[in-house]
Amino acid sequence: MNEPRRVEHQQTDKGYVPVYTTAIVDQPADYPADDHATWGTLYERQRALLVGRACDEFLQAQDAMGMTPDRIPRFDELNEVLRATTGWTLVGVEGLLPELEFFDHLANRRFPVTWWIRRPDQIDYIAEPDLFHDLFGHVPLLMNPVFADYMEAYGKGGVKAHGIGTDALQHLTRLYWYTVEFGLINTKDGLRIYGAGIVSSKGESLYSLESDAPNRIGFDLERIMRTRYRIDTFQKTYFVIDSFEQLMNATAPDFTPIYARLEKQDAIPAGDVREDDKVYTRGTGEGWADGGDV
Ligand code: HBI
Ligand code: FE
């Protein structure tokens, strides 16, 4: 299989990783058997973990798109379902894109999916977003109309933030990190996962709901935009939304005054808990712990 065309390594919000050419690329006509096997192994392992841990919207969407462990899905087949449901399409790319290109895709309801999948020896961890992370982790929720609207609004906000400057961009990237990548959602049955970075990771699918180590804090836009994050470990804090509508509504206002306020405030370390945080106890639905839990 031809290797992806790396452009150059850059320090990004995902660490020092290769940032690729921004060209749209076609999905290869087929993949070596090894790649299909990697997809199948990861798919079956994650689905076994995620029933009862991922939110229903994620699991149902993945089934509705016709994703199976049998083979790497065809982008054009997924696009038929996705386009008809929320107007989103996925486009093949070489890998991580410069931020502006990435935001521009989202602003136009295009989700960039890396066309190659990790090697068998990388099955447990890969620093870059590969096909499994993007297709298994990010694409299903684009079937949810409200989340699909949020992702477009986020992209438009990203294009604007890029024009404002690096501070605005940093604050907005934290919002992506703590929702799209590592978000939890509160349901009548308890906390559930919706973040792509969690659902595509075996260890973090368990840790995010069941470990006593991380904080779980109710969604607060400016609190999130001030909060640093780590890229090389499990998260020290997860933010919990009540609904995708809450997420969508949070991006409705113009962020300019928010950026102005954030300029005057310090960043919050990833592991901090502040006194007006709404703290969740692990894995349950109760919002207000008695405070003794953290
Ligand atoms: N490029 N292909 C791709 N996929 C991403 O998730 C991605 C990206 N470029 C930038 C980026 N994410 C980050 O800036 C986001 O966290 C905002
Ligand atoms: Fe991602």
Side-chain angles (χ1 to χ4, degrees):
M1 172 185 80
N2 52 333
E3 283 296 308
R5 278 175 293 123
R6 278 175 171 58
V7 175
E8 57 176 13
H9 275 67
Q10 275 177 17
Q11 190 59 36
T12 73
D13 70 310
K14 289 176 170 61
Y16 186 65
V17 291
V19 177
Y20 292 84
T21 169
T22 57
I24 302 290
V25 296
D26 290 334
Q27 183 176 26
D30 198 0
Y31 291 85
D34 267 2
D35 285 351
H36 287 295
T38 297
W39 166 268
T41 303
L42 287 169
Y43 189 99
E44 284 177 336
R45 187 174 79 180
Q46 284 311 104
R47 281 290 300 220
L49 283 176
L50 292 173
V51 176
R53 291 189 176 89
C55 63
D56 291 342
E57 293 85 345
F58 173 84
L59 297 167
Q60 287 157 8
Q62 204 163 59
D63 293 338
M65 299 190 88
M67 287 193 189
T68 74
D70 307 339
R71 63 186 180 86
I72 293 174
R74 299 305 302 167
F75 291 0
D76 48 6
E77 289 172 17
L78 293 179
N79 277 339
E80 270 173 50
V81 180
L82 193 52
R83 191 183 287 114
T85 310
T86 58
W88 274 81
T89 57
L90 55 93
V91 289
V93 292
E94 291 288 351
L96 208 59
L97 299 176
E99 274 163 343
L100 188 55
E101 276 78 8
F102 179 67
F103 293 137
D104 183 61
H105 280 307
L106 301 188
N108 291 284
R109 295 205 170 219
R110 293 188 302 265
F111 193 85
V113 174
T114 299
W115 66 264
W116 50 268
I117 196 165
R118 66 193 71 181
R119 297 189 313 268
D121 65 291
Q122 298 169 308
I123 203 147
D124 282 328
Y125 180 71
I126 181 168
E128 310 169 60
D130 75 329
L131 178 139
F132 183 75
H133 170 83
D134 287 334
L135 207 48
F136 181 95
H138 280 288
V139 167
L141 275 182
L142 295 174
M143 293 279 279
N144 176 284
V146 180
F147 191 82
D149 288 351
Y150 169 67
M151 286 294 277
E152 178 188 352
Y154 181 87
K156 288 178 173 156
V159 171
K160 262 200 307 198
H162 195 272
I164 297 173
T166 47
D167 283 355
L169 214 46
Q170 184 178 53
H171 292 134
L172 204 74
T173 298
R174 289 169 178 162
L175 176 61
Y176 189 89
W177 191 265
Y178 282 115
T179 57
V180 179
E181 292 294 1
F182 292 97
L184 299 179
I185 184 167
N186 191 19
T187 75
K188 62 182 179 0
D189 305 320
L191 302 189
R192 292 291 182 270
I193 302 163
Y194 73 92
I198 308 178
V199 293
S200 53
S201 155
K202 172 181 154 195
E204 199 143 9
S205 297
L206 299 168
Y207 172 86
S208 63
L209 291 182
E210 287 149 37
S211 167
D212 281 326
N215 307 310
R216 297 175 187 88
I217 295 172
F219 178 89
D220 172 323
L221 181 67
E222 295 187 32
R223 170 67 164 86
I224 285 178
M225 293 173 97
R226 292 178 60 196
T227 306
R228 295 185 196 285
Y229 58 81
R230 301 287 300 274
I231 55 172
D232 49 359
T233 62
F234 291 164
Q235 298 311 303
K236 296 190 178 328
T237 293
Y238 296 98
F239 286 92
V240 183
I241 59 174
D242 295 322
S243 66
F244 294 130
E245 286 75 11
Q246 181 191 27
L247 205 43
M248 181 60 217
N249 296 337
T251 57
D254 170 29
F255 277 11
T256 313
I258 296 175
Y259 292 139
R261 263 198 303 282
L262 291 170
E263 286 282 303
K264 301 189 184 68
Q265 295 171 305
D266 296 337
I268 297 174
D272 269 20
V273 178
R274 299 289 161 104
E275 76 272 8
D276 50 358
D277 285 338
K278 177 181 180 180
V279 175
Y280 283 80
T281 55
R282 68 185 172 91
T284 67
E286 288 90 51
W288 295 93
D290 60 8
D293 179 64
V294 177

